[in-house]
Amino acid sequence: MKLLKALTGVAGAIALTTGSAFADDLRWKMPVAFATNLPGLGSPAAWVADNLTTASDGSIQVRVYEPGKLVPPFDILQSVSDGKVSAGYTWIGYDQGKVPAIPLFAAVPFGMKPWAYIGWYYYGGGHEMLQETYANKGFNVHAQLCGIIGPETAGWYAEPIESLEDYQGLKIRFAGLGGKVLEKLGASVTMMPGGELYQALEKGTIDATEFSMPAIDQILGFNQVVKYNLFPGWHQQFTAQYMLINQDEWDRATEAQKALVEASCTAATTRGLAEGEYKNGKVLAEFQDKGVQADQIPRDVLLKLKDVTQEVLEEEAAKDADFKRVYESQQEFMETYKVWDTRAYVPADL
């Protein structure tokens, strides 16, 4: 009997250091909104899937499906919530029509820098508010921040933007709250996945487009069609991606499995930001050798865009209680963050 107890204790100790510590294996299908060859935007999804398998000793296996192979990119939230797939990886701002407050967790015009956003998200209650925001709109998902990149470009155009009037009547692909700003200025705003944008530009279905940062835009080939790449990316100073997990699947995971998902996604967030920051400067410099005109939007136009953005944010806050609550939380954080930001960092021109 003593020997049996001893062996049982040893087996228990071994279980705590191997995959057998996980009560039930998790086998998740995960459609993604972005091709996994896109640095910082799609690459974190593939890294997380591989890392979860390795770190869990095979207890968690996530099979990644490239955009459109299993679920259309814009249907990921609903598919995960309905349990058609266990998980999905996406930019959640695509779902602002279903969950009005969601863009605040995805990209905010004239919003936070990436590191400021993750400060608010991890320590300012952002993660908890995101779960509540989904639940309040009836979605059965657990959301985990799982990637972030720095500013996008302000888009690709046949002609530069020199005044607000230049947006009037422009057929442009623009996402999230930034799209609402341009609609207010008279632009014809449309949404389509990244894989369709080159052809849409080439055929004249759209006059201009934004999508992401230089390291990604070059892969999609926008510079082969239009030559004006405008800056700064006022509409998306940060772009955050999330791993959405069906809530029932999340609830049946062990605490150890949940901890691995959280740790892997936190690491992927760091890696995604690092990859973009490493690659963008070189790509942008090379654009000039390819005939691309990288121009800055005039400061007076940016100031006017910021004024219109403020109108849009206040209108959205008046229409949705979750939007108002999240927006006010972010604004409160930024009031104190600006004190640090303006004093602590060396100016970019030094």
Side-chain angles (χ1 to χ4, degrees):
M1 183 62 68
K2 289 182 179 179
L3 178 61
L4 179 60
K5 289 182 179 179
L7 290 173
T8 301
V10 171
I14 293 173
L16 291 175
T17 61
T18 67
S20 59
F22 305 111
D24 296 302
D25 289 343
L26 301 178
R27 300 290 181 263
W28 292 347
K29 293 180 178 180
M30 187 171 77
V32 299
F34 312 107
T36 54
N37 71 320
L38 298 181
L41 194 63
S43 58
W47 185 86
V48 163
D50 290 341
N51 191 67
L52 283 173
T53 297
T54 301
S56 70
D57 198 22
S59 169
I60 306 173
Q61 294 184 21
V62 180
R63 182 176 179 182
V64 172
Y65 290 82
E66 295 292 333
K69 297 298 183 182
L70 185 63
V71 172
F74 295 165
D75 292 347
I76 288 176
L77 169 62
Q78 194 66 58
S79 297
V80 173
S81 180
D82 292 344
K84 294 179 181 178
V85 292
S86 298
Y89 187 89
T90 186
W91 182 69
I92 59 178
Y94 291 141
D95 295 305
Q96 68 178 356
K98 301 173 183 176
V99 190
I102 279 302
L104 294 173
F105 298 94
V108 182
F110 296 96
M112 304 180 208
K113 296 169 182 173
W115 46 89
Y117 176 75
I118 61 177
W120 171 80
Y121 179 84
Y122 289 127
Y123 293 98
H127 177 75
E128 292 74 21
M129 280 188 274
L130 179 55
Q131 316 312 314
E132 294 164 4
T133 296
Y134 275 125
N136 288 344
K137 292 297 185 285
F139 289 98
N140 188 43
V141 298
H142 171 83
Q144 197 72 45
L145 178 61
C146 211
I148 198 167
I149 57 176
E152 295 188 348
T153 80
W156 292 83
Y157 303 78
E159 301 291 339
I161 297 294
E162 297 176 342
S163 70
L164 290 189
E165 287 69 33
D166 290 334
Y167 289 111
Q168 182 72 38
L170 190 70
K171 296 181 296 182
I172 186 169
R173 186 270 191 196
F174 225 75
L177 292 167
K180 289 184 178 291
V181 172
L182 294 194
E183 284 179 336
K184 205 173 182 69
L185 295 173
S188 176
V189 178
T190 188
M191 268 302 303
M192 58 182 71
E196 300 176 13
L197 296 178
Y198 180 92
Q199 189 174 40
L201 275 175
E202 192 175 41
K203 290 185 174 182
T205 305
I206 55 177
D207 303 317
T209 187
E210 60 79 45
F211 186 67
S212 193
M213 56 190 183
I216 290 173
D217 289 352
Q218 73 151 353
I219 294 172
L220 299 181
F222 302 145
N223 61 290
Q224 299 170 24
V225 186
V226 290
K227 296 301 182 181
Y228 282 93
N229 188 203
L230 302 187
F231 295 85
W234 60 270
H235 64 299
Q236 290 192 205
Q237 286 289 284
F238 75 90
T239 298
Q241 301 87 252
Y242 293 81
M243 186 174 180
L244 301 179
I245 303 163
N246 177 270
Q247 188 66 53
D248 297 331
E249 284 289 316
W250 183 251
D251 289 343
R252 80 180 186 89
T254 66
E255 291 305 307
Q257 289 168 330
K258 290 178 181 177
L260 279 180
V261 171
E262 292 169 355
S264 294
C265 277
T266 301
T269 300
T270 301
R271 293 177 68 95
L273 180 59
E275 187 175 15
E277 294 299 297
Y278 178 75
K279 292 182 176 180
N280 280 323
K282 184 174 186 291
V283 173
L284 185 55
E286 290 174 348
F287 272 155
Q288 298 177 44
D289 297 331
K290 298 176 181 178
V292 172
Q293 186 70 39
D295 280 357
Q296 297 297 120
I297 296 175
R299 181 176 174 82
D300 65 312
V301 176
L302 286 174
L303 290 172
K304 293 172 184 176
L305 284 169
K306 187 174 182 180
D307 288 342
V308 179
T309 294
Q310 192 62 38
E311 292 175 16
V312 168
L313 293 172
E314 290 175 0
E315 289 169 1
E316 295 299 308
K319 293 188 292 187
D320 183 82
D322 285 329
F323 193 107
K324 183 175 187 293
R325 181 169 60 100
V326 176
Y327 177 58
E328 288 178 350
S329 174
Q330 291 182 345
Q331 291 299 106
E332 182 181 355
F333 165 69
M334 285 304 293
E335 284 301 313
T336 54
Y337 179 76
K338 286 177 182 176
V339 177
W340 164 252
D341 186 39
T342 55
R343 289 183 175 275
Y345 292 98
V346 174
D349 59 346
L350 289 182

